[in-house]
Amino acid sequence: MSRTSYLDVKAVILGRIRSGELAPGDTVPGEAALAGEFGCARVTVNRALRELAGAGVVERRRRAGTRVLDPTPRDAAVEVPSVRAEIEATGAEYRYELLARRIAVPPRQVRAALGLGPRARALHLRCRHWAGASVHQIEERWINLDVVPAARKVDFAATGPNDWLIRAMPLSRVEHVFSAANANAAEAELLGLAPGAAVFVVERRTWIDGRAITRARLVHPGATHRLVARTQSPL
Amino acid sequence: MSRTSYLDVKAVILGRIRSGELAPGDTVPGEAALAGEFGCARVTVNRALRELAGAGVVERRRRAGTRVLDPTPRDAAVEVPSVRAEIEATGAEYRYELLARRIAVPPRQVRAALGLGPRARALHLRCRHWAGASVHQIEERWINLDVVPAARKVDFAATGPNDWLIRAMPLSRVEHVFSAANANAAEAELLGLAPGAAVFVVERRTWIDGRAITRARLVHPGATHRLVARTQSPL
DNA sequence: TGACGGAATATGTGCATACATATTACCCAT
DNA sequence: ATGGGTAATATGTATGCACATATTCCGTCA
């Protein structure tokens, strides 16, 4: 007979919630009570409940106790892979192409996004990523040279800006905004699509220590691009 | 002088990784060594490192020790809100409309998604969700009546199927697929858009205990719909 | 009646210790 | 050399204990 593990406690509590014995809003018995019931130490129960709280199943407050939360689906985890990995995973050959590189004053919207003044200049890149013979993504990127001065000396001919930035900067915050749009003439041309074709747009912004590093607009053919998010409820 | 907390240990290790003192691939000193250095118990170090591993900062293997991982951006968390909450958050009035309800044999693709046999019937719903005077989403949904027989008796006139399902079923797994498409004639009509306008499509599937409950195709006007994902690096 | 303060209580966390378990390293026999 | 068994080792986890801390409850006093 082995000792009761925190995993056992976790599983039993979760079972009671699943079966309805413990309904949303109910108070879970205290750690001491459960420790008595399971014949284990209070710390063991503590760990089980702490992990359930981390998984969003219950909510814990001192003195008030542990309550079962509404089974609102947790945030879904989206894997936002690097372009290269995404393409090579399908077996297609990945090819990167730098279309333009210049230092210029960004449009007002980008300046706002990067927290730049009205006359500040930034590095602008336009790239194209191929999956075999078809375009996978076109990338319109602005890099804040105040934060990443090293980028000024990189030509980005061989390495995509995203791969380079990931290596160069320990980015602390990333935001992705997903949307759908009709391709304008320029985008359609670069993607090899008819004007007006649906495109899947990802706008990515990254920060380090609260300072905006870069803003990228990534445009994909809508017909083929898919983004998958999975939510796994605990056990 | 208070005792060293696992939070202190966590912060210091994270600082060493940030500063480069511990680079990706490096082996973090063993728990015993760190416990000695910090003058705390090994269990305290253990908890700090365990949480860092949970956050994806380090990788732990018995006997092999703890290694610093590549700072690959973690999975981004997408908040997939309930339609009602999403709309009411903007201040607009939410209205739900049931357009069709029938029990029928689903198309082959849906049967496959729900794991149904060639002649199995399922509940089909078509709904429209309004945000004030504009259409926010049209919903095409199939519900597996083998798994949710109770849905047969629900008319879904007042409550949307998603709200009802969340309440009725303790779903264990959710999958969302995001994509962009051009609206076909029927969709454009229902959304009040021109045919061919870009739409943001979410396909949602949910399971309970490995059995598929429902499959929904949610279509939004591309011009207005946005989905935001944030990744927060640990402290 | 209502404001305030202290007691009661549930969770939060640290420590020393002991044992479990996975995995590597090494040594020995063939 | 080589294959396999075994010891060494780092992490994993359970326990009893002690104290910390947040929050609620309740009684007291104005």
Side-chain angles (χ1 to χ4, degrees):
Chain A
M1 178 75 188
S2 78
R3 301 199 262 189
T4 30
S5 156
Y6 76 99
L7 292 170
D8 301 333
V9 180
K10 217 171 138 179
V12 171
I13 303 290
L14 209 48
R16 288 184 189 166
I17 292 173
R18 280 223 182 295
S19 74
E21 187 179 337
L22 285 169
D26 284 0
T27 298
V28 179
E31 296 187 352
L34 289 171
E37 178 191 337
F38 287 100
C40 65
R42 188 172 72 87
V43 187
T44 304
V45 175
N46 179 283
R47 176 156 181 198
L49 292 178
R50 191 185 345 124
E51 294 201 354
L52 286 176
V57 176
V58 300
E59 178 198 36
R60 317 198 71 195
R61 267 167 46 223
R62 285 186 184 174
R63 166 68 200 184
T66 303
R67 290 195 331 159
V68 180
L69 287 176
D70 264 323
T72 304
R74 301 275 299 157
D75 293 345
V78 184
E79 211 183 315
V80 188
S82 90
V83 204
R84 158 172 254 120
E86 188 176 11
I87 291 173
E88 288 176 345
T90 70
E93 185 206 6
Y94 171 69
R95 192 155 62 84
Y96 161 74
E97 183 184 8
L98 179 64
L99 300 172
R101 180 190 189 285
R102 65 191 178 116
I103 292 179
V105 176
R108 195 177 50 79
Q109 205 180 354
V110 174
R111 287 203 309 275
L114 293 181
L116 292 174
R119 275 181 185 68
R121 295 152 72 83
L123 178 60
H124 177 236
L125 300 166
R126 181 174 293 144
C127 324
R128 186 150 58 165
H129 303 264
W130 295 80
S134 55
V135 180
H136 178 262
Q137 175 188 107
I138 56 177
E139 171 176 2
E140 189 99 17
R141 182 181 291 269
W142 289 89
I143 297 178
N144 188 339
L145 289 171
D146 296 343
V147 182
V148 201
R152 195 182 288 268
K153 293 178 184 164
V154 182
D155 67 1
F156 295 107
T159 311
N162 198 51
D163 287 354
W164 183 83
L165 281 167
I166 283 183
R167 247 170 268 286
M169 304 290 302
L171 30 88
S172 63
R173 198 177 127 211
V174 185
E175 181 186 276
H176 291 92
V177 179
F178 309 110
S179 59
N182 293 100
N184 62 32
E187 290 166 344
E189 167 74 26
L190 286 171
L191 288 166
L193 300 173
V199 289
F200 189 88
V201 181
V202 178
E203 292 193 342
R204 176 187 297 166
R205 290 198 288 166
T206 63
W207 290 263
I208 169 75
D209 291 335
R211 306 179 69 193
I213 300 176
T214 179
R215 177 186 181 284
R217 180 182 163 87
L218 314 170
V219 182
H220 313 75
T224 53
H225 198 72
R226 294 276 181 282
L227 198 68
V228 181
R230 285 200 178 75
T231 305
Q232 192 85 252
S233 183
L235 203 77
Chain B
M1 177 74 187
S2 78
R3 300 198 263 189
T4 32
S5 156
Y6 76 98
L7 292 171
D8 302 331
V9 180
K10 217 171 138 179
V12 171
I13 301 290
L14 208 47
R16 289 184 188 165
I17 293 172
R18 281 223 181 293
S19 75
E21 187 179 338
L22 284 169
D26 284 0
T27 298
V28 179
E31 296 187 353
L34 289 171
E37 176 191 340
F38 286 99
C40 66
R42 188 172 71 86
V43 186
T44 304
V45 177
N46 179 281
R47 177 156 181 196
L49 292 179
R50 192 190 337 130
E51 294 201 354
L52 285 177
V57 177
V58 300
E59 178 199 36
R60 318 196 70 197
R61 270 166 45 224
R62 285 189 184 172
R63 165 70 199 185
T66 303
R67 291 195 329 159
V68 180
L69 286 176
D70 265 324
T72 304
R74 300 276 298 157
D75 293 344
V78 182
E79 211 182 315
V80 187
S82 90
V83 203
R84 156 170 257 122
E86 186 177 11
I87 290 173
E88 287 176 346
T90 69
E93 185 207 6
Y94 170 70
R95 193 156 61 84
Y96 162 74
E97 183 183 8
L98 179 64
L99 301 173
R101 180 192 190 284
R102 67 192 175 113
I103 292 179
V105 176
R108 195 178 49 79
Q109 205 181 354
V110 174
R111 286 204 309 274
L114 292 181
L116 292 174
R119 275 181 185 69
R121 295 152 72 82
L123 178 61
H124 177 237
L125 300 166
R126 180 175 294 146
C127 324
R128 187 151 56 165
H129 303 264
W130 295 79
S134 56
V135 180
H136 177 262
Q137 174 189 106
I138 56 177
E139 171 178 1
E140 189 98 17
R141 183 180 289 268
W142 290 90
I143 297 177
N144 188 340
L145 289 171
D146 295 343
V147 182
V148 202
R152 195 183 289 269
K153 294 177 183 166
V154 183
D155 68 1
F156 295 106
T159 311
N162 199 51
D163 288 353
W164 183 83
L165 280 167
I166 282 181
R167 246 172 267 288
M169 304 290 303
L171 31 88
S172 62
R173 197 176 128 211
V174 186
E175 181 186 278
H176 291 93
V177 178
F178 309 111
S179 59
N182 293 100
N184 62 31
E187 290 167 345
E189 165 74 26
L190 286 171
L191 287 167
L193 300 174
V199 289
F200 189 89
V201 181
V202 177
E203 291 194 342
R204 177 188 297 165
R205 290 197 288 166
T206 63
W207 289 264
I208 169 75
D209 291 336
R211 305 178 69 193
I213 301 175
T214 180
R215 177 186 182 283
R217 179 182 164 89
L218 314 170
V219 181
H220 312 77
T224 52
H225 199 73
R226 294 276 182 282
L227 198 66
V228 180
R230 285 200 177 75
T231 305
Q232 193 84 253
S233 183
L235 202 78

